Amino acid sequence: MPEQPYYGKNGEPKKYDPTFKGPIYNRGCTDIVCCILFIICILGYVAVGILAWSQGDPRKVIYPTDSRGQFCGQAGTPLETKPLLFYFNIMKCASPMVLLEFQCPTTQMCVEKCPDKFMTLLKAYANKEDFKYYKNFCKEGLEGLTVTQILSSGLCPAMLTPSKPFTRRCFPALGQKKGGEITVGNNSKFDDGEGNIRDAKDLVAGVKNATVVIEARQVAMKIFEDYTQSWYWILIGLVIAMLISLLFIVLLRFLAGIMVWVMIVMVILVIGYGIFHCSMEYVSLKSEAGSNVTLKDLGFQTDFSVYLHIRQTWLAFIIILAIVEVVIILLLIFLRNRILIAIALIKEASRAIGYVMSALFYPLFTFALLSIVIAYWAVTAVFLSTSNQPIYKVFNETACDHSRKICEPANFSTSSMKAECPDSKCLFAFYGGETVYHKYLIGLQFYNVFLFFWCANFVTALGQMTLAGAFASYYWALVKPDDMPAFPIFSSLGRSLRYHTGSLAFGSLILSIIQIIRVLLEYIDHKLQGTQNKCTKFLLCCLKCCFWCLEKFIKFINRNAYIMVAIYGKNFCTSAKDAFFLLMRNMIRVAVLDKVTDFLLFLGKLLIVGLVGIFAFFFFSGRVKAFENTAPNLHYYWVPILTVVVGSYLIAHGFFSVYAMCVDTLFLCFCEDLERNDGSLARPYYMSASLHDILSENKAVEETEEPTQSSLHQPDDQDVQLKQ
């Protein structure tokens, strides 16, 4: 079948083409250059992954590392029975360099368990049993050495303090008496091993700095434990969300009008109940001590449940929900007439989905592909970030020209650095490297992020084009379902991959470039947070806003361009131009009707998320007595609630995205149909009578002639014969 010469240079519609009968099957490959480029980049992405997997070592983020760069507790090594990291002098962690280099300038070694009593090397050396215990926290090679020689060689710590393991590290067991006095091992003072009696509070700064980096890890570990305790309940919540979404879609198929109004009322009621519940919590906290503390005074807390005991938190919830409620009600009032038309359009989309029921399950395929893309990106990122080599630096207490310079621990004792700085030590600092691979490691990370965006956008684009082709085959079928392919989804998917991989890659490449620019702008903004240059901040803010708007615009153009590619089989640029001019000629319809339909579908997603979220809140928080013994004991009950809410939204979005794509495709096909045909016997409309009535009410510029009643119906058998 020949290509359809439908649009002129400026996008104006040409004359009626009697040979057009829907999506063209006899088509050729489009955007071949971009297809070849995409394949080459994917092969390069695979090569980067293989290189990262061969060089990386994820153990570096799992196990603590001693001063020699060895992993504590790693299975199959001599340190397998020593899972904890012990600091020789925790007070040296109070140095500001800890915050800059994330490394304490003191010897660190792997031990089996943390010390549980006070002891100095001087006193332990005089007692055989005590010294035997003390050796558990010393290096090898103590035989025949005096206390002075041991300390000067840095083989043992000068003292031991009672400690407890925390994130696989030994930290002093600090406590506090009623008067606020700091204690360690129930003592307010200790011997530092150098003949000095010091206060226990001197340990606080070292412990605080040493835990700056790993406080977040503690929260992460608690969150991980919560997931291990509640994962099956989370799955049940997500299954419930999927069943509700599926039930909602099925009911829309048969009761679209009723279900939309039920959905609107339910959303208003759910938000209203949320306001009522937050108000009750706000009132109940009035008599509770400490509930009037402001969020600003409270600051950031790792235990998020603390915020639920503050009245200001519930007041913020009330204000946010009230604003959302008012906005929804005002939109419903001012758009009530358009909502009636949008409901009718949703009914038409329901009929289309009824002929292409497999489209409801296509988001599962898209989700599976996106999961593979995300998993590959995450694993590659971890291996790239852990593919560095251990770097050792000179750490010292006194002034030294070689301080923080790179050193080699194997020959450091005989090096010139040690001779010039006798009290210096060559300790493990971080992971890095100076090879060609390590020099370009940041470039590989950037390539990993960019290909992640490109592949994710490609998968999304493939889903949009596949659904568009399937629903377009429904619209342009004169006799449904006889004129439709046997398997519309598989037929459209095959055409998209066989002929239009280049077009998909082209559109997703443009979007990925914009997204990576936005990421770079966010990175630059983060780096410049400490500056006070208002002009720079204003410029960055403008750039971020402009690129955000540009990304939204490109997504809109891409979505409609894929529909045109699915129908006509033209290249991406031509399809994007055709779609843009077609939408501009129907601007009022696009602005009013299409977006109102999107708003109604968004309310459906909001309803599903609200219902499942409320159920999850009462279950995991233990607010309902019937669930008190069933709900798991958690550190943060908001973890499974948030997971269920986000998962429910993604599931609902997956189902409703099929409806949204169906509406967009039918709308674009309708605009095409109006310009191609006039409803006469010779040129009948492909649309149904109801769809014509729906969208003709909203037409901005109507043709001067009024179609007769016979021109507004789906063509009968005589029309079909004449058309053919």
Side-chain angles (χ1 to χ4, degrees):
M1 184 177 295
E3 187 179 353
Q4 308 303 313
Y6 184 51
Y7 287 100
K9 293 181 179 180
N10 298 319
E12 70 277 2
K14 287 189 176 180
K15 295 182 179 180
Y16 166 71
D17 183 1
T19 62
F20 180 76
K21 296 181 180 179
I24 299 171
Y25 294 94
N26 184 18
R27 56 180 72 198
C29 296
T30 57
D31 299 299
I32 299 175
V33 174
C34 200
C35 177
I36 295 174
L37 177 63
F38 182 65
I39 294 173
I40 293 174
C41 290
I42 290 296
L43 293 177
Y45 198 22
V46 173
V48 169
I50 294 174
L51 182 62
W53 299 337
S54 64
Q55 299 288 331
D57 190 353
R59 296 174 300 177
K60 296 173 184 176
V61 296
I62 299 175
Y63 302 103
T65 309
D66 66 7
S67 296
R68 297 180 180 178
Q70 302 175 106
F71 304 118
C72 300
Q74 181 187 349
T77 66
L79 299 178
E80 181 178 3
T81 59
K82 299 180 178 181
L84 305 175
L85 187 67
F86 171 71
Y87 297 89
F88 270 30
N89 189 352
I90 191 67
M91 287 185 291
K92 291 184 179 180
C93 295
S95 168
M97 294 303 296
V98 175
L99 300 178
L100 298 177
E101 300 184 358
F102 302 108
Q103 183 72 11
C104 287
T106 185
T107 302
Q108 303 164 40
M109 65 177 295
C110 302
V111 296
E112 185 176 351
K113 60 181 181 179
C114 298
D116 55 6
K117 52 187 174 182
F118 279 113
M119 193 174 293
T120 64
L121 177 61
L122 185 63
K123 293 181 180 179
Y125 192 80
N127 187 299
K128 188 175 181 180
E129 290 297 323
D130 288 346
F131 192 56
K132 182 179 179 181
Y133 173 80
Y134 208 97
K135 285 182 178 179
N136 293 322
F137 308 97
C138 296
K139 298 179 181 179
E140 299 178 353
L142 300 178
E143 291 75 9
L145 299 180
T146 63
V147 173
T148 304
Q149 292 173 329
I150 293 173
L151 290 176
S152 62
S153 301
L155 299 177
C156 286
M159 63 169 181
L160 298 179
T161 58
S163 305
K164 292 182 179 180
F166 174 68
T167 63
R168 297 190 179 186
R169 290 161 175 82
C170 295
F171 290 109
L174 296 175
Q176 191 174 19
K177 292 183 178 180
K178 290 184 178 180
E181 187 178 16
I182 302 297
T183 63
V184 56
N186 296 323
N187 295 317
S188 59
K189 298 182 180 297
F190 66 95
D191 188 342
D192 65 0
E194 298 178 358
N196 302 317
I197 303 299
R198 306 183 63 167
D199 293 330
K201 64 181 181 181
D202 294 340
L203 295 169
V204 174
V207 172
K208 183 178 180 180
N209 271 355
T211 56
V212 164
V213 181
I214 58 178
E215 277 186 353
R217 184 175 293 183
Q218 180 195 24
V219 176
M221 291 179 64
K222 289 184 177 180
I223 291 175
F224 179 77
E225 291 176 4
D226 288 344
Y227 277 125
T228 59
Q229 294 291 327
S230 61
W231 64 270
Y232 47 91
W233 293 111
I234 293 175
L235 286 180
I236 292 174
L238 295 180
V239 169
I240 292 174
M242 184 180 68
L243 293 176
I244 294 176
S245 300
L246 188 59
L247 177 63
F248 202 91
I249 293 296
V250 173
L251 291 176
L252 273 179
R253 168 68 180 87
F254 300 101
L255 303 170
I258 297 175
M259 285 302 300
V260 169
W261 286 113
V262 169
M263 172 185 68
I264 293 173
V265 173
M266 287 292 291
V267 168
I268 295 175
L269 291 178
V270 167
I271 297 176
Y273 175 78
I275 295 173
F276 172 76
H277 178 77
C278 293
S279 302
M280 296 299 295
E281 292 287 346
Y282 179 79
V283 173
S284 65
L285 289 173
K286 186 176 182 179
S287 59
E288 187 173 319
S291 62
N292 291 320
V293 177
T294 63
L295 294 175
K296 183 178 180 181
D297 295 336
L298 183 64
F300 177 76
Q301 301 292 327
T302 55
D303 186 2
F304 290 96
S305 61
V306 173
Y307 295 106
L308 298 181
H309 297 280
I310 305 300
R311 297 185 73 199
Q312 199 175 81
T313 302
W314 295 103
L315 180 62
F317 288 157
I318 294 172
I319 294 173
I320 293 172
L321 290 175
I323 293 174
V324 173
E325 183 92 325
V326 171
V327 169
I328 291 176
I329 292 175
L330 289 177
L331 286 174
L332 292 175
I333 292 174
F334 288 107
L335 299 176
R336 59 188 183 279
N337 293 328
R338 301 301 179 188
I339 287 174
L340 294 175
I341 301 174
I343 290 174
L345 185 58
I346 291 176
K347 289 181 180 179
E348 187 67 23
S350 298
R351 281 193 286 271
I353 292 176
Y355 286 104
V356 195
M357 286 298 291
S358 56
L360 290 176
F361 302 97
Y362 185 83
L364 298 177
F365 177 68
T366 301
F367 176 77
L369 291 180
L370 284 175
S371 299
I372 295 173
V373 171
I374 294 172
Y376 186 88
W377 163 77
V379 171
T380 303
V382 169
F383 274 87
L384 282 174
S385 61
T386 59
S387 60
N388 290 312
Q389 298 172 347
I391 299 297
Y392 300 87
K393 286 190 175 184
V394 176
F395 291 91
N396 59 291
E397 298 180 6
T398 58
C400 177
D401 294 336
H402 302 291
S403 179
R404 302 302 186 268
K405 289 185 178 180
I406 297 176
C407 59
E408 291 292 336
N411 57 2
F412 182 74
S413 58
T414 59
S415 65
S416 59
M417 294 182 180
K418 182 68 174 178
E420 296 178 18
C421 306
D423 65 336
S424 63
K425 299 176 183 179
C426 184
L427 303 178
F428 168 77
F430 56 86
Y431 288 100
E434 297 184 356
T435 64
V436 176
Y437 170 76
H438 295 100
K439 287 181 179 179
Y440 293 99
L441 194 58
I442 185 67
L444 296 177
Q445 286 281 23
F446 178 82
Y447 186 79
N448 182 36
V449 174
F450 179 73
L451 262 293
F452 164 71
F453 281 125
W454 197 356
C455 293
N457 289 326
F458 180 87
V459 170
T460 304
L462 177 62
Q464 292 175 348
M465 186 178 291
T466 300
L467 292 174
F471 293 127
S473 65
Y474 159 82
Y475 184 93
W476 296 108
L478 280 171
V479 181
K480 303 174 177 61
D482 296 344
D483 291 345
M484 294 174 59
F487 302 99
I489 286 291
F490 294 104
S491 177
S492 180
L493 177 61
R495 287 198 306 271
S496 301
L497 289 175
R498 181 178 178 183
Y499 298 110
H500 306 303
T501 299
S503 298
L504 294 170
F506 193 8
S508 55
L509 174 62
I510 297 172
L511 184 58
S512 300
I513 292 174
I514 296 172
Q515 290 173 336
I516 203 69
I517 292 175
R518 290 192 63 202
V519 171
L520 292 176
L521 289 174
E522 291 292 343
Y523 176 77
I524 294 172
D525 186 36
H526 176 73
K527 287 295 183 181
L528 297 178
Q529 278 184 352
T531 64
Q532 301 298 323
N533 192 330
K534 295 183 178 180
C535 180
T536 304
K537 290 183 177 180
F538 175 76
L539 181 61
L540 274 175
C541 184
C542 292
L543 287 174
K544 288 163 63 177
C545 180
C546 290
F547 276 96
W548 179 84
C549 295
L550 181 60
E551 181 184 356
K552 296 298 181 184
F553 176 74
I554 292 298
K555 284 183 176 180
F556 175 76
I557 291 297
N558 282 6
R559 185 182 181 91
N560 291 282
Y562 296 142
I563 296 175
M564 300 299 283
V565 173
I567 297 174
Y568 296 107
K570 297 181 182 181
N571 61 52
F572 177 81
C573 291
T574 302
S575 299
K577 182 197 70 173
D578 294 346
F580 178 76
F581 283 115
L582 180 63
L583 293 173
M584 288 301 99
R585 292 194 295 272
N586 297 270
M587 188 182 300
I588 303 300
R589 285 197 183 101
V590 174
V592 178
L593 181 57
D594 196 36
K595 296 310 169 187
V596 170
T597 308
D598 290 341
F599 171 69
L600 292 180
L601 295 178
F602 172 75
L603 290 183
K605 290 184 262 187
L606 201 64
L607 175 61
I608 293 171
V609 171
L611 291 175
V612 178
I614 290 174
F615 172 78
F617 174 78
F618 284 111
F619 178 80
F620 289 110
S621 64
R623 300 295 179 95
V624 179
K625 293 184 178 180
F627 298 142
E628 282 183 346
N629 298 326
T630 307
N633 295 321
L634 305 171
H635 297 288
Y636 310 121
Y637 67 80
W638 55 264
V639 170
I641 295 175
L642 189 62
T643 305
V644 169
V645 167
V646 173
S648 300
Y649 178 81
L650 294 177
I651 291 172
H653 177 73
F655 281 101
F656 281 92
S657 65
V658 176
Y659 254 90
M661 198 66 204
C662 182
V663 169
D664 289 346
T665 304
L666 294 180
F667 180 79
L668 212 59
C669 291
F670 166 81
C671 296
E672 282 278 280
D673 199 6
L674 277 183
E675 295 188 349
R676 284 184 170 276
N677 307 303
D678 59 7
S680 63
L681 293 178
R683 295 165 56 183
Y685 288 128
Y686 282 81
M687 71 191 78
S688 63
S690 58
L691 184 60
H692 185 280
D693 293 338
I694 294 165
L695 297 179
S696 291
E697 292 180 20
N698 197 44
K699 190 173 183 181
V701 181
E702 196 69 58
E703 288 82 358
T704 55
E705 74 273 13
E706 285 193 26
T708 60
Q709 183 65 27
S710 61
S711 67
L712 301 182
H713 67 280
Q714 180 74 21
D716 53 20
D717 294 338
Q718 182 181 358
D719 297 336
V720 174
Q721 293 173 2
L722 182 59
K723 183 85 173 182
Q724 294 174 342

